[in-house]
Amino acid sequence: MSSPDTMAGRRIRFLNRFFARLSRRQKAVTAFVSQPDPRTIGNFARGRQLVAGNLLFAGYLVESETTDLWSIRAPDAAFEAERQGFVWLDDLAAVGNPKSREKAQKWLWSWIELYGRGTGPGWTPDLTGRRLIRWISHAIFLLRGQDSAKSDAFFRSLGRQTWFLSKRWHSAAPGLPRFEALTGLIYAGLALEGREELADPAIRALTHECETQIDDEGGLPTRNPEELLEVFTLLTWASAALHEAGRGVPPAQTAAIERIAPTLRALRHSDGGLARFHGGGRGLEGRLDQALAASHVKPAHPQGLSMGYARLSGGRTNVVIDASPPPGGRASYGAHASTLAFELTSGRRPLVVNCGSGESFGLEWRRAGRATPSHSTLCLDGYSSARLTEPERGSGHEALVDGPEQVPVEIIEVTDGARFHGGHDGYSDAFGLTHARALELAHDGRGLFGEDMLLAMDDKSKHRFDRAMDASVLAGIGFDIRLHLHPEVDATLDLGGAAVSMALKSGEIWVFRHDGKAKLALEPSVYLEKGRLKPRATKQVVLSGRAMEYATRIRWSLSKAQDTAVAIRDLNRDEPDFD
């Protein structure tokens, strides 16, 4: 995240530029003391595309086999950050042939020539830390066949960036940016000759970040699952580098790894991808499994919530539910209005999803992706359960405010499965209504039974609801219950609009039914995925109705085709699931 266009933000950028240029005067590094093995998993297919001249960064594609990476005019800050961070080096190293090495070497020494003297947009603590990790990890791949002049330039640049990072890591924003900066500094301090004295302060600082940024649930303030995975990965890399250098790992760092591991397991769907909430994607393929294996933390069943999320599992099916208020403070800049939304995966096939982050598709998609209608939950009268502020001057960031404050939840084991109860007051001020949701997943994972209620809980809430009814001329308060479907789900509305059939690539067929108190429709939707040129078209199941009284209840079920008779029976039960 870039520094905002405020006095403090301008001061941070000025000092970054000052210390970057001052790094030219520092004593040169000439060799490695030790070199960590490459730990990052590159994408072979993406590496092949880079070699072929298809340069895809932050949703923008440039096609030219001969174009130098740095001669392209960056269309936005996200594109610039991706190329300056050198994560693409993992992909070229994954290919590992002479052509990919040649391209990596050309781009790296071009960067040194253009920016190596402390100029350009890449001299921020988080990007510098990210870049140092890649340069050091892939040094053998990069230096092969190079003459002494280029080798000297490589080490000289490493030394300058390391010194800069030792002076400026503290200006990185708390969270992932600071973890990246400190891990890069630890890598360089342990690996580079003459920079050993920089490792100890970085290790102490990383210990402090583990104690202050990783909470008791093993979560981050942003509640972004993919960001948590990146932090976890960095901590495991730093631990491995310390072990290889013959040094101990601070207890606070080990404890943070042990807290995060079960949280990530709870947020992992049965297909291996992460639940997509609060700006996070599924994570790089293989990254989660590799990081969990490297942590050596044994699997454990977490009790209660994990970073504010609830998990239901049965058979080959799992459900992950956002069961907490949206993040506040600085973390609200990436937060989504997704309280009580859920995702469901059956085996290796995602079924119910959230639309995801539109960050790479521009401002309008970013704002749309953060709104409640882009999540698989109830939306009241077209409103989100939290409000986005106007973009800040300079940074363009929007905070998420006025969201739910009270989110009581309960997870219980019942005779036939596991049940989640939750509610939030995000609509209380405007409409006097509390949204309550019950989700029950069968033990065998073959059915999910849902109940959504809108309740005026007390006299004050009833008065607000009455005013909202008067404003609607007694037409009621409109609501939509949305279930966004993965693009690979083939959905059709059938039986006269009474049900939706959903066929998965695995051959499974799931059927959505409801109790007849709302109108069922199948509407267009989008699946927002990082690294793609445009949003993917998909569909959403929508149950629409109007709240006319102080209590409105809608029941629905999602079950495998052969279990629909049980689903219909349960929809016809009279007893309420809420007290």
Side-chain angles (χ1 to χ4, degrees):
M1 183 178 289
S2 60
S3 301
D5 190 21
T6 62
M7 183 67 73
R10 289 192 291 271
R11 176 177 171 80
I12 288 173
R13 292 194 293 273
F14 168 78
L15 289 174
N16 284 344
R17 291 194 296 268
F18 174 77
F19 280 98
R21 290 181 172 87
L22 200 61
S23 68
R24 306 173 195 170
R25 305 180 184 180
Q26 305 310 307
K27 183 180 177 182
V29 171
T30 58
F32 287 117
V33 175
S34 64
Q35 182 187 349
D37 294 328
R39 307 186 196 285
T40 54
I41 299 175
N43 186 302
F44 179 84
R46 180 174 161 83
R48 289 284 299 272
Q49 289 296 315
L50 290 172
V51 172
N54 299 316
L55 314 182
L56 177 60
F57 296 103
Y60 290 92
L61 176 66
V62 177
E63 297 178 282
S64 175
E65 190 171 354
T66 58
T67 298
D68 183 77
L69 178 60
W70 313 109
S71 66
I72 301 167
R73 182 172 180 175
D76 62 15
F79 184 100
E80 189 67 77
E82 280 202 20
R83 66 175 175 178
Q84 291 281 344
F86 273 72
V87 175
W88 47 263
L89 191 53
D90 298 337
D91 303 323
L92 290 176
V95 177
N97 62 22
K99 282 189 175 181
S100 66
R101 181 182 294 109
E102 181 182 349
K103 181 142 289 191
Q105 291 169 339
K106 176 184 176 182
W107 287 354
L108 182 137
W109 272 278
S110 293
W111 186 94
I112 292 174
E113 184 178 343
L114 290 169
Y115 306 118
R117 293 177 61 81
T119 60
W123 288 83
T124 63
D126 53 333
L127 290 177
T128 303
R130 194 182 307 169
R131 190 166 54 244
L132 280 176
I133 293 171
R134 269 71 192 186
W135 284 28
I136 293 170
S137 295
H138 300 299
I140 294 175
F141 174 72
L142 292 166
L143 292 172
R144 184 173 179 181
Q146 299 301 298
D147 58 27
S148 60
K150 287 194 173 180
S151 179
D152 290 346
F154 177 78
F155 281 107
R156 187 164 52 247
S157 184
L158 279 177
R160 289 173 176 174
Q161 294 178 69
T162 302
W163 182 86
F164 165 80
L165 203 50
S166 72
K167 300 299 182 183
R168 297 300 296 155
W169 67 261
H170 57 82
S171 69
L176 178 58
R178 191 169 293 177
F179 278 104
E180 281 191 305
L182 288 170
T183 302
L185 185 54
I186 290 171
Y187 255 56
L190 295 176
L192 299 177
E193 188 177 76
R195 292 291 184 265
E196 296 90 339
E197 79 281 357
L198 301 180
D200 285 335
I203 294 166
R204 290 193 294 271
L206 187 64
T207 296
H208 177 72
E209 294 302 307
C210 288
E211 293 172 336
T212 58
Q213 291 296 307
I214 310 300
D215 63 23
D216 292 340
E217 290 184 9
L220 291 170
T222 61
R223 298 189 56 235
N224 180 327
E226 187 177 23
E227 191 171 297
L228 181 66
L229 170 59
E230 293 303 312
V231 169
F232 181 69
T233 300
L234 291 167
L235 292 177
T236 62
W237 289 350
S239 296
L242 287 167
H243 279 302
E244 290 172 0
R247 307 183 62 162
V249 180
Q253 185 175 331
T254 301
I257 290 172
E258 291 174 347
R259 292 198 302 276
I260 295 173
T263 297
L264 285 173
R265 287 190 170 102
L267 298 177
R268 178 174 59 179
H269 282 301
S270 53
D271 67 342
L274 287 169
R276 305 185 331 139
F277 287 96
H278 294 294
R282 290 172 48 81
L284 292 175
E285 187 174 354
R287 174 67 62 84
L288 178 55
D289 289 337
Q290 187 192 40
L292 288 171
S295 72
H296 304 295
V297 178
K298 295 181 179 179
H301 182 67
Q303 300 296 319
L305 301 183
S306 299
M307 200 167 71
Y309 298 94
R311 179 186 178 91
L312 303 178
S313 297
R316 300 170 62 250
T317 304
N318 77 273
V319 177
V320 178
I321 309 153
D322 186 350
S324 294
R330 185 181 178 85
S332 72
Y333 289 122
H336 287 213
S338 57
T339 305
L340 298 188
F342 75 94
E343 291 194 326
L344 181 148
T345 298
S346 175
R348 304 291 296 178
R349 300 294 176 181
L351 177 56
V352 178
V353 297
N354 297 309
C355 290
S357 172
E359 182 75 27
S360 61
F361 302 111
L363 174 62
E364 294 304 317
W365 279 114
R366 182 177 70 196
R367 291 180 67 90
R370 296 173 69 184
T372 300
S374 295
H375 300 83
S376 293
T377 187
L378 179 143
C379 177
L380 198 55
D381 207 30
Y383 284 76
S384 283
S385 57
R387 178 176 61 86
L388 281 174
T389 63
E390 291 300 314
E392 288 184 353
R393 179 187 171 190
S395 70
H397 301 142
E398 313 109 330
L400 193 71
V401 298
D402 301 334
E405 296 180 358
Q406 302 296 322
V407 186
V409 299
E410 180 183 36
I411 305 172
I412 57 175
E413 294 293 328
V414 294
T415 304
D416 298 327
R419 180 182 296 169
F420 166 86
H421 282 173
H424 77 76
D425 59 354
Y427 298 115
S428 180
D429 287 347
F431 300 103
L433 294 173
T434 292
H435 174 210
R437 166 165 274 187
L439 297 172
E440 182 177 324
L441 182 65
H443 272 311
D444 59 8
R446 301 180 69 85
L448 178 72
F449 304 93
E451 181 177 83
D452 286 289
M453 296 187 72
L454 292 168
L455 306 168
M457 302 293 289
D458 51 33
D459 290 342
K460 187 176 181 180
S461 298
K462 291 177 181 178
H463 179 65
R464 289 174 178 165
F465 178 76
D466 290 339
R467 284 190 303 175
M469 284 290 289
D470 290 341
S472 72
V473 197
L474 302 180
I477 313 301
F479 65 84
D480 297 300
I481 300 169
R482 301 177 185 273
L483 272 64
H484 296 274
L485 305 178
H486 190 271
E488 293 183 355
V489 176
D490 183 12
T492 55
L493 185 66
D494 53 21
L495 297 179
V500 173
S501 296
M502 291 156 278
L504 308 186
K505 293 287 187 180
S506 62
E508 291 182 354
I509 296 178
W510 289 70
V511 179
F512 178 90
R513 296 179 181 274
H514 64 104
D515 60 6
K517 297 178 181 178
K519 180 182 177 181
L520 179 63
L522 190 61
E523 299 180 359
S525 181
V526 292
Y527 188 78
L528 304 172
E529 199 170 12
K530 296 176 184 177
R532 285 188 172 267
L533 293 176
K534 58 183 180 180
R536 297 174 68 183
T538 185
K539 295 180 181 179
Q540 59 178 315
V541 177
V542 183
L543 269 179
S544 302
R546 306 195 72 82
M548 303 293 294
E549 301 175 349
Y550 295 142
T552 301
R553 181 177 68 182
I554 302 295
R555 283 177 168 171
W556 50 267
S557 69
L558 189 60
S559 58
K560 292 189 180 181
Q562 55 266 53
D563 300 313
T564 53
V566 176
I568 294 171
R569 181 199 66 197
D570 288 340
L571 286 173
N572 291 327
R573 291 183 304 175
D574 292 328
E575 68 274 13
D577 281 331
F578 289 97
D579 295 330

